[in-house]
Amino acid sequence: MLSEQERHEIEAQSHHYPNNRALCIEALKIVQAHRGWVSDEGIADVAEALQMAAAELEGVATFYNMIFRKPVGRHVILLCDSVSCWIMGYDGLREHLHARLGIGLGETTADGCFTLLPNVCLGACDHAPAMMIDSAHYQDLDPAGIDEILAKYQMNEIREEKKEKREPPDGNTADP
Ligand code: FES
């Protein structure tokens, strides 16, 4: 079943779309934002809410490559493998990511931080090679640039982890 929050967010978006069919990708994105990916249960929940057939929604989710139908890491790297990026060094970048993170395409790092996926053209062909991490775009990439970008995400993870350790779940601090 959709959570109250998911239902509320889908309802808020519904005013921007002419019908439920047009709304369904946005609804799937909302479920994904809350759950990390869209499971069969997520498909069934959205189908029920939008009064669509689950099979039809499944078709949309499978076609749309920003909807993840399997669990992914906390950050998803979408490496462009279309023609301009391919010419401008895609193979080398893929190998660099493989060496740096220890994962190939379609895999997630052991610590759950990154999932690496291939992606069709990201619309930055004049600044190839390009990739996205979550919703951020990166272009004119080279191995050193990739290392810098990944280091920022990894530093943020360490910061978040430290913050969580300092703040107990109930929000009270250890100090009086
Ligand atoms: S081919 Fe990679 S951004 Fe267009």
Coordinates of all heavy atoms in Angstrom, one line a residue, residues 80-85 121-125 128 130, ligand 1:
C80 N 27.2 7.3 -19.5 CA 26.7 7.4 -20.9 C 27.5 6.5 -21.8 O 28.7 6.6 -21.9 CB 26.7 8.8 -21.4 SG 26.1 8.9 -23.1
D81 N 26.8 5.6 -22.5 CA 27.5 4.7 -23.5 C 27.0 4.9 -24.9 O 27.1 4.0 -25.7 CB 27.4 3.3 -23.1 CG 26.0 2.7 -23.1 OD1 25.0 3.5 -23.4 OD2 25.8 1.5 -22.9
S82 N 26.5 6.1 -25.2 CA 26.1 6.4 -26.6 C 27.3 7.0 -27.4 O 28.3 7.2 -26.8 CB 24.9 7.4 -26.6 OG 23.8 6.8 -26.1
V83 N 27.0 7.2 -28.7 CA 28.1 7.3 -29.6 C 29.2 8.4 -29.3 O 30.4 8.1 -29.3 CB 27.6 7.5 -31.1 CG1 26.8 8.7 -31.3 CG2 28.7 7.3 -32.1
S84 N 28.8 9.6 -28.9 CA 29.8 10.7 -28.7 C 30.7 10.3 -27.5 O 31.9 10.4 -27.5 CB 29.1 12.0 -28.4 OG 28.4 12.4 -29.5
C85 N 30.1 9.8 -26.4 CA 30.8 9.4 -25.3 C 31.7 8.2 -25.6 O 32.8 8.0 -25.1 CB 29.9 9.1 -24.1 SG 29.1 10.6 -23.5
C121 N 22.3 8.3 -24.3 CA 22.8 9.7 -24.3 C 22.1 10.6 -23.2 O 20.9 10.6 -23.1 CB 22.4 10.3 -25.7 SG 22.9 12.0 -25.8
L122 N 23.0 11.3 -22.5 CA 22.5 12.2 -21.4 C 22.3 13.6 -21.9 O 22.1 14.5 -21.1 CB 23.5 12.2 -20.3 CG 23.7 10.8 -19.6 CD1 24.9 10.9 -18.6 CD2 22.4 10.5 -18.8
G123 N 22.5 13.8 -23.2 CA 22.2 15.2 -23.8 C 23.4 16.1 -23.6 O 23.2 17.3 -23.7
A124 N 24.6 15.6 -23.4 CA 25.7 16.5 -23.2 C 26.8 16.1 -24.2 O 28.0 16.1 -23.9 CB 26.3 16.4 -21.8
C125 N 26.4 15.7 -25.4 CA 27.3 15.2 -26.4 C 28.5 16.1 -26.7 O 29.6 15.7 -27.0 CB 26.6 14.8 -27.7 SG 25.1 13.9 -27.5
A128 N 31.2 15.5 -24.1 CA 31.4 14.1 -23.8 C 32.9 13.8 -23.4 O 33.7 14.6 -23.8 CB 31.1 13.2 -25.0
A130 N 30.3 11.8 -20.6 CA 29.4 12.3 -19.5 C 28.8 11.2 -18.6 O 28.8 10.1 -19.1 CB 28.3 13.2 -20.1
Ligands
FES1 S1 26.5 10.6 -26.3 FE1 27.0 10.8 -24.2 S2 26.0 12.6 -23.7 FE2 25.3 12.3 -25.7

